[in-house]
Amino acid sequence: MRPSRREVLRYAAFGMVAAATSRGRAAAADSAIVKCVIHPAIGIARVGNSPTGIFVGPEVPGSYPWPDGGFKDSAGRMKRQAARFRIYGLDRNGQVVQEITAEDAEITWTVRLANRKAAWYEFTQPLDISELNGTYGQPTIANPLRNATVADRSQLVIDPGPRSIAGRNTNIDGGAPPYLFDSGRFFGTPVPLGELRTDSAGRLLVLGGMGHSGPAVPGTAAVTFANNDGWHDDVSDGPVDAVVRLDGRELHAEGAWVVVAPPNFGPGLQGVVTMYDVLFDVAARLEPERTPSRPSFTRQIYPLLERHVLHQWVNAGFARDFGWGAASNFLAPENFARLADPSPASRFLRTEVFRRFRNPSYVTFEGTALPPYYGDATSFDHPNPRVWMAVLPRQYGWLEQWAAGDFDADWPAGGLIVPQRIDDVPISEQPAALDRAALDDCLGGPFHPGCEMTWPMRHPSLYAAPFRLRRRSGPEPDWGPVLTSEVALASNGPLAASGPGDITRWMAVPWQTDTSSCLAAYQPEIDDYLPAFWPARVPNDVLSWENYQTVLNVLAPLGERQRAFVTRDRWQPYPRWGQIDALTHINQFVDQWWRYGVVTRQRGPGAPFPSWMWVETGRSLPSWPGPGPFRDPSGSHS
C-alpha cells in the first residue's frame, strides 16, 4: 500500500515508494519553474583520513551506500563521506517540476565552512533541561568559555571563508587549490577543513577534513571528554548556496546547510531516535498539519522496534534482550505479526511493549525502561530522571495510540521495498527523501553532547522553515564569559540564528575524546552491557570477523558455531575493567581512531542463524575480549 503524497509529507517515505516514472519532470506539476531549492536541507559529510577514498552519504531512507572496496582504503584508512547537494525547480504552487542539473542550467555553488569549537563555551550539560536547576542536587548550569584566558578569540576560530565551484566533474580528483578550505588557522597553524567538488551532473559534493585533531602546544594531553583547552579538530559546518542561470533568468536557490561530522562506525544502523525524528518534531511544531492524526505502523512504530533489534550487533545487552533468539526480538515472525495487528487479540502484547518505554515527561526514575540509553543529563554524582533517555513525546504518544489499537495497520504484505537509488524515487518525493536519509543517519540523542549535532537542534527558533536553519545576517553578539540557560534560550539568544561553525561548536573538542569516552555500562552493579550512549555510531560489543567466519563454516560443530555467534568482542577497551587507563585511552584514540573496525552488513548462513548479520570489518588493532558470551551458548538460537 503506497501512502498518499500528503502522508509522505507528514513523515516522509519509509521505503514505501514506487519507481519514478521520469527523472526529469513530475507529471502533474506546472512546467514553469519559479523557484529553486537545495536538498538535502541539512547534508552530512564525515571526516576520514584516506587521501583518495571517498563515498557519497545515504540519499534514500532505509538504504545505505556501500562504497567500492568498503569503507576503508587499501591501507586501512577511513574514507571520507561526501555530502551531495541537488537543486530542484518548483512551480508557482510549490510542487516539484524537476531536478535541475548542469544539463539544464549554469549552476554556481558557494559554501562556507568554519570550526568555532575552541572559541565557544564548554559543554557540561544541555542548557534546555529544566531539571538542571538544583532540583536533584545538581548546581544550576552555567558554562564558561573554552580557552577563557585567550584574549584574541580570532586565534581560536578556523574560518577559511567561502569557496565557489561550477561545472561538471570540477576538481573531481581533489586537491585543486581554488576549492580547498585550507586557509583557516588555529593559533597561526593551518587547519584544512575540506574541499568542494562537483559530479558529472554538476551536483555539489562537500568533503570535510581528514580527522586530524591536536593541541596548539605539542605534547599537551587531553584531560577530559568534551572541553580540552588549546585543542582543535577539523569538523565544521556552514551554509550552502547556489545561483542558477536558467532560461535567461538568474535564480538564487533556497539555501541549505552542511555539517561535517565524525566517522560513522556503524553505517546503516540508526539510533532509536534519529536526528530526523528530532527535526520532524520541530517541523510539526512549526506546521502542526504535518502530524498524522494516528500513527502508521510502518512509518512511526516499526522503526522504534527495529532499531532496538538491530542494536544487537553493536551492544551485547541489546543482543541478549532483543537479538536473535531473544524473547523480546520484536522482529521475530511470531512477535511481529502480533505487534503489527491492531485487533483486540494482540492488545495485551502491544500494551506490554508500550509500558516498557520510558515516559518522556520524566516525572519518575525509570532506570530499566526503553530505550536502554544514558540520557542528556548523565551524572552519577547527582542523578535525576534525565540520566536516562526517552523517545520524543510525539513518539511516545504514537506508541500509546498503537497500544490501544488506534493506528494504521499498513505493513506491506511483501515487506518493505526500499529503493537503492534516489532516481528510483518519484521526483515529487525526492527532496523529502534526501532530507530524511541524511538526518536518519545522525543520532537524535542522547545529547551529552552527541555525535553529529546536539540539543539546540530541537529548538524551533533555530529554523527559518522546517529543516532549514535560520541564518545570521550580522555579527554575533558577545554573550559574556559564562553562558546560562537564560541567555542561551532567550528569543534573541544564540539559538535565534546561525553562522558558519555555529552548529558544531556545541560539540566536544576534539571529537575523539568524546567518542572514546561515551561507552556503556558505567554501573556494573546494574548490568554488564547497558545502558549505552551511542552504539549505532560508536559500537560497544561486536561480532568479530573471525567469529563470523566460524558461524559461516557449515563443517564446524554446531555448538562451536553457536558459541562464536554469541561471543562479542569489545570495540573499545572498557577502562573500568582495568584494560587501559581512561586518559591514556582517549589520547590514544585521537591518533588511532581510524584503526578501529566498521560494523557492516554481511550475509549470514540462514537457519539456525540469521540470514543477515552485522560484522566488524577493517580492524587493524588487537581485539579486546568482552566478559564472555552474552548468553549460554547451549541455549536456543533459532
Side-chain angles (χ1 to χ4, degrees), residues 428-454:
S428 62
E429 299 175 20
Q430 287 182 17
L434 291 167
D435 290 349
R436 177 163 191 174
L439 294 170
D440 260 344
D441 192 42
C442 300
L443 301 184
F447 293 141
H448 195 78
C451 285
E452 299 97 357
M453 295 165 271
T454 188

Side-chain angles (χ1 to χ4, degrees), residues 22 54 85 98 100-101 140 245 278 310 338 340 342 353 364 368 388 403 413-414 423 447 485 578 595 607 616 634:
S22 168
I54 71 167
F85 292 89
Q98 69 176 92
I100 298 173
T101 68
T140 301
R245 295 172 179 86
V278 172
L310 289 184
R338 296 171 63 196
V353 172
T364 60
T368 60
W388 301 287
D423 286 345
F447 293 141
S485 296
R595 299 186 64 191
E616 185 186 39
S634 64

Side-chain angles (χ1 to χ4, degrees), residues 47-281:
V47 301
N49 66 334
S50 174
T52 57
I54 71 167
F55 66 98
V56 176
E59 296 185 303
V60 179
S63 176
Y64 201 92
W66 183 271
D68 291 341
F71 292 91
K72 294 190 175 186
D73 66 16
S74 58
R77 296 166 297 197
M78 188 76 73
K79 295 177 181 178
R80 286 185 291 171
Q81 176 179 303
R84 177 156 56 190
F85 292 89
R86 301 165 184 254
I87 296 174
Y88 289 85
L90 309 184
D91 67 15
R92 64 183 179 217
N93 298 314
Q95 304 300 304
V96 178
V97 175
Q98 69 176 92
E99 182 190 358
I100 298 173
T101 68
E103 181 180 341
D104 312 298
E106 179 184 338
I107 303 170
T108 301
W109 299 91
T110 300
V111 180
R112 184 174 179 181
L113 296 178
N115 178 310
R116 299 180 179 274
K117 287 185 175 184
W120 195 235
Y121 296 88
E122 293 185 1
F123 173 82
T124 53
Q125 302 280 14
L127 292 169
D128 61 346
I129 296 179
S130 59
E131 289 88 348
L132 300 182
N133 59 4
T135 301
Y136 295 96
Q138 272 180 291
T140 301
I141 301 301
N143 293 337
L145 284 168
R146 290 170 174 155
N147 299 288
T149 61
V150 177
D152 181 4
R153 308 298 289 176
S154 66
Q155 294 190 82
L156 304 170
V157 177
I158 307 167
D159 185 358
R163 299 291 187 271
S164 295
I165 194 169
R168 305 171 190 250
N169 289 325
T170 304
N171 192 35
I172 193 61
D173 294 322
Y179 312 113
L180 301 179
F181 293 96
D182 60 352
S183 58
R185 295 175 176 270
F186 183 74
F187 282 110
T189 300
V191 180
L193 295 182
E195 62 185 307
L196 302 182
R197 304 184 187 186
T198 61
D199 69 9
S200 60
R203 303 179 184 105
L204 174 67
L205 297 171
V206 181
L207 288 137
M210 304 296 287
H212 175 73
S213 303
V217 178
T220 302
V223 295
T224 181
F225 79 102
N227 307 294
N228 289 286
D229 279 357
W231 279 71
H232 74 280
D233 59 29
D234 60 0
V235 305
S236 61
D237 68 273
V240 177
D241 292 299
V243 175
V244 180
R245 295 172 179 86
L246 176 69
D247 299 331
R249 298 172 295 153
E250 184 174 281
L251 301 174
H252 290 256
E254 184 173 357
W257 208 269
V258 63
V259 173
V260 179
N264 181 353
F265 294 101
L269 297 173
Q270 298 178 351
V272 171
V273 178
T274 73
M275 187 57 70
Y276 179 83
D277 296 332
V278 172
L279 266 69
F280 176 82
D281 186 74

